[in-house]
Amino acid sequence: MRIAILGFGSVGRGIARVIQEKDPGITVTGLADSRSGIMDPEGIDLPAALDRKEKKGLCGDRQVSPLNVVDGAEYDALVEVSPTRIDDGEPATTHIVHALSRGKHVVTSNKGPIALAHRRLHALAVSHGVQLRYEATVCGAIPVLHILQHDLLGNQVQALHGVMNGTCNFILTRMEDEGLTYDQALAEAREMGYAEADPTYDVKGIDAALKLVILANTVWDLGVTLDDVEITGIDLITPEAIRLACDRETTIRLIAEAIPEKGLLRVSPRIIPQGHPLLVEGTLNAVTLHTDLAGELTFIGKGAGSVETASAVIGDLLYLGEHHAGAH
Amino acid sequence: MRASMKLEMKDTPGQLVSVLTPISECGGNIIAVIHQRDPDSDSGVLDVQIVLDLPEGRLDDLVGQIKRRGVTITRIGKERLFLQRSLLMIGHIMHTDISDTVDQIDRTGYAEVSELSLVMPAINERSSARITLKTATATDMNKAVALLRKVSAAKEILIVEPLEECG
Ligand SMILES: NC(=O)c1ccc[n+]([C@@H]2O[C@H](COP(=O)([O-])OP(=O)(O)OC[C@H]3O[C@@H](n4cnc5c(N)ncnc54)[C@H](OP(=O)(O)O)[C@@H]3O)[C@@H](O)[C@H]2O)c1
């Protein structure tokens, strides 16, 4: 299978490294970062591209734009791994629209286009007879979308709950374990590379809400947006509140929750009992699915990281290779 | 309504059953039966404690029926509100009149604040509290939590609720 990778940051490079090390039968014929691009129908030399990126900050030629690669490279699937922008989902949405319109599959880790334009993009994919897959957008390495779409066939999913933001979970874990204040725990998260310079998007619950929107639209086709989610972040949580929770053998975690029957879509800090299946430590993610036949299922795994996210992207690609080969 | 009763009855076969029958006839639901047989006593008397849920207004009827069967009721405890839920509050809890917040819950008639633990780390800093609400039914509990949320929102106090999962 031939792919073009749009975005050569943590995730894009993780994908390149996995392809290089494991040789899963994937050839990269197009590659772009914010300021350069490269195309080669025979396959781009990945070690050289990784090296160029590290030394010069560019993966390819300045004359080649990302959109040139989307429109011009010869590939079966576009891998869209550029930064998430929640205001308009661009430029990723345009990349995806162009690729689908060319009759190419799309695999993405970018939450913007999926949270904002899932219905439109899905319809476009269907009309061109191709697939749009986005396992990496939710819960990192946990293959929750695959489980929902393929492994739970015949089940009705009634509700889902999850710890979907590793940064928040890390901060709350440290506040609980060490009695740190929110600011101290956030500073530590930054130092460890778990929080961005501007952590707003994570700590205000927006990132978790985007994932909830993506899940809700995928499972129930609700057609909801970020505005439909009731969102409370963790930035006002005090160590004293966590201690009061701990006195009762409970603690606090940021929980994303969807119960369509009650019209409930909510991200908020919640009290959960010690020993609860969703109570994971550090940057881990966890998600519980409530189903009519299989009952309650909980999955735990790494919520982010270069190779972990690459795992979800490669999984989607190999799935396409097996089930939807022979795209145009 | 939840009630608990201490009964004294003859330690003979069939006595206990003769007490349990009227409970179910009154629409009651037995939660626990605790025997307190004193091994050294050979008084022939059995002490039993029964915890039960009973529809409102049936207690007097039940007491009458039990007495008619020759069983002595030594104590009746009524617990009207037995559903509990603890929540956390974070904000300027004292300065926004906590007694008013508690009053608003207590005044509803269907909910009570049964516990409040407050931690104030320093003057002018936000304080944290654990508040426990009691009600008779789940519907009342949801109403009480909604009210606490509303009152707290107006006072800019964050409420952290327990995760109540659906089945
Ligand atoms: N990191 C994770 O663990 C993780 C997990 C799940 C999902 N995601 C999502 O995956 C995506 C990538 O994340 P990341 O951590 O790899 O981000 P990153 O390290 O910031 O890398 C982003 C890459 O995209 C490139 N880029 C920026 N604008 C572009 C454009 N217009 N066209 C093409 N490329 C462009 C950047 O170019 P330059 O190199 O020139 O700046 C950079 O190479 C994001 O949407 C993120 O939300 C990440």
Side-chain angles (χ1 to χ4, degrees):
Chain A
M1 165 182 284
R2 295 163 308 164
I3 64 168
I5 305 176
L6 266 272
F8 210 37
S10 172
V11 176
R13 280 178 285 185
I15 295 164
R17 286 198 193 96
V18 172
I19 290 176
Q20 198 188 316
E21 277 163 30
K22 301 194 69 166
D23 189 17
I26 294 170
T27 307
V28 182
T29 55
L31 179 64
D33 53 27
S34 66
R35 292 174 298 144
S36 71
I38 174 173
M39 293 182 259
D40 184 344
E42 298 305 315
I44 293 162
D45 181 348
L46 289 178
L50 284 162
D51 193 50
R52 255 194 322 276
K53 183 71 187 162
E54 196 181 326
K55 296 207 170 106
K56 293 199 288 184
L58 300 176
C59 68
D61 185 344
R62 275 184 198 278
Q63 309 306 318
V64 180
S65 76
L67 208 53
N68 290 155
V69 173
V70 176
D71 293 338
E74 289 176 28
Y75 56 87
D76 305 304
L78 178 76
V79 174
E80 220 305 334
V81 290
S82 73
T84 291
R85 276 185 40 189
I86 56 161
D87 44 349
D88 61 0
E90 292 297 351
T93 306
T94 299
H95 296 160
I96 293 175
V97 166
H98 279 226
L100 294 174
S101 303
R102 282 185 70 193
K104 309 297 184 192
H105 300 301
V106 171
V107 170
T108 185
S109 65
N110 194 322
K111 290 168 280 268
I114 306 301
L116 293 172
H118 177 258
R119 271 195 182 161
R120 177 161 68 94
L121 296 176
H122 180 70
L124 190 61
V126 170
S127 74
H128 286 90
V130 289
Q131 295 279 311
L132 169 64
R133 300 188 68 84
Y134 43 91
E135 184 67 76
T137 57
V138 287
C139 297
I142 305 173
V144 62
L145 292 177
H146 194 277
I147 290 163
L148 285 164
Q149 290 175 323
H150 304 287
D151 302 322
L152 286 173
L153 290 178
N155 275 269
Q156 196 194 336
V157 181
Q158 291 145 336
L160 59 88
H161 290 89
V163 170
M164 303 190 186
N165 184 275
T167 309
C168 290
N169 206 63
F170 175 83
I171 290 171
L172 293 173
T173 305
R174 296 297 292 164
M175 289 175 73
E176 177 187 341
D177 289 352
E178 308 296 334
L180 301 181
T181 64
Y182 166 77
D183 289 326
Q184 289 166 338
L186 173 62
E188 197 182 68
R190 278 214 184 96
E191 222 162 86
M192 314 265 295
Y194 298 149
E196 311 275 326
D198 176 9
T200 315
Y201 174 73
D202 287 317
V203 301
K204 292 278 190 196
I206 301 163
D207 175 69
L210 282 176
K211 292 167 180 166
L212 193 64
V213 164
I214 293 173
L215 281 166
N217 288 341
T218 304
V219 182
W220 298 293
D221 191 25
L222 295 182
V224 292
T225 67
L226 208 50
D227 293 336
D228 299 306
V229 187
E230 185 190 327
I231 310 174
T232 309
I234 61 155
D235 51 332
L236 293 175
I237 300 294
T238 58
E240 295 82 22
I242 294 183
R243 215 178 322 128
L244 285 165
C246 288
D247 289 348
R248 290 291 170 87
E249 270 149 51
T250 58
T251 189
I252 300 178
R253 287 294 191 265
L254 187 72
I255 303 288
E257 165 180 46
I259 310 177
E261 193 181 79
K262 295 188 189 165
L264 192 77
L265 276 182
R266 188 166 163 200
V267 171
S268 57
R270 302 294 275 278
I271 302 171
I272 60 175
Q274 299 289 351
H276 190 281
L278 285 180
L279 187 49
V280 291
E281 300 285 307
T283 58
L284 284 175
N285 282 17
V287 59
T288 299
L289 310 175
H290 303 260
T291 68
D292 59 346
L293 305 179
E296 215 173 273
L297 302 156
T298 299
F299 304 91
I300 296 173
K302 298 231 170 94
S306 174
V307 170
E308 291 82 356
T309 310
S311 159
V313 172
I314 300 273
D316 272 349
L317 288 170
L318 295 181
Y319 176 86
L320 285 179
E322 254 178 55
H323 298 270
H324 299 276
H328 320 278
Chain B
M1 180 192 65
R2 179 159 297 190
S4 84
M5 290 182 182
K6 269 198 164 167
L7 310 173
E8 226 175 69
M9 61 185 77
K10 281 195 227 80
D11 193 2
T12 53
Q15 270 289 325
L16 185 58
V17 175
S18 77
V19 175
L20 299 184
T21 313
I23 293 178
S24 59
E25 280 170 9
C26 288
N29 189 18
I30 297 159
I31 306 294
V33 178
I34 305 148
H35 293 258
Q36 289 157 320
R37 196 195 303 260
D38 180 353
D40 297 330
S41 110
D42 44 30
S43 59
V45 172
L46 187 64
D47 282 330
V48 176
Q49 191 181 344
I50 295 177
V51 181
L52 68 158
D53 281 342
L54 207 60
E56 287 298 335
R58 300 303 303 270
L59 188 63
D60 290 346
D61 186 15
L62 177 65
V63 168
Q65 289 203 39
I66 292 177
K67 281 185 179 159
R68 249 172 275 135
R69 286 162 201 249
V71 172
T72 315
I73 300 179
T74 55
R75 212 182 73 204
I76 300 180
K78 275 192 268 182
E79 172 77 287
R80 191 173 63 90
L81 308 174
F82 59 90
L83 259 190
Q84 287 204 9
R85 193 177 295 177
S86 291
L87 302 94
L88 297 166
M89 304 171 72
I90 302 172
H92 293 289
I93 298 170
M94 290 298 280
H95 298 300
T96 55
D97 197 353
I98 180 66
S99 57
D100 165 71
T101 309
V102 171
D103 268 359
Q104 295 209 38
I105 302 286
D106 287 350
R107 270 204 308 265
T108 59
Y110 58 77
E112 275 172 31
V113 173
S114 66
E115 181 230 8
L116 186 77
S117 305
L118 187 76
V119 185
M120 292 182 288
I123 293 171
N124 292 330
E125 266 185 42
R126 287 173 304 132
S127 43
S128 305
R130 186 181 57 232
I131 184 168
T132 302
L133 307 181
K134 275 182 154 187
T135 64
T137 67
T139 315
D140 286 346
M141 181 58 80
N142 291 337
K143 270 187 349 199
V145 169
L147 175 63
L148 180 66
R149 266 165 66 114
K150 189 172 134 237
V151 172
S152 301
K155 299 181 175 188
E156 289 182 27
I157 291 171
L158 172 69
I159 295 290
V160 181
E161 287 175 53
L163 180 63
E164 301 282 330
E165 286 158 281
C166 63

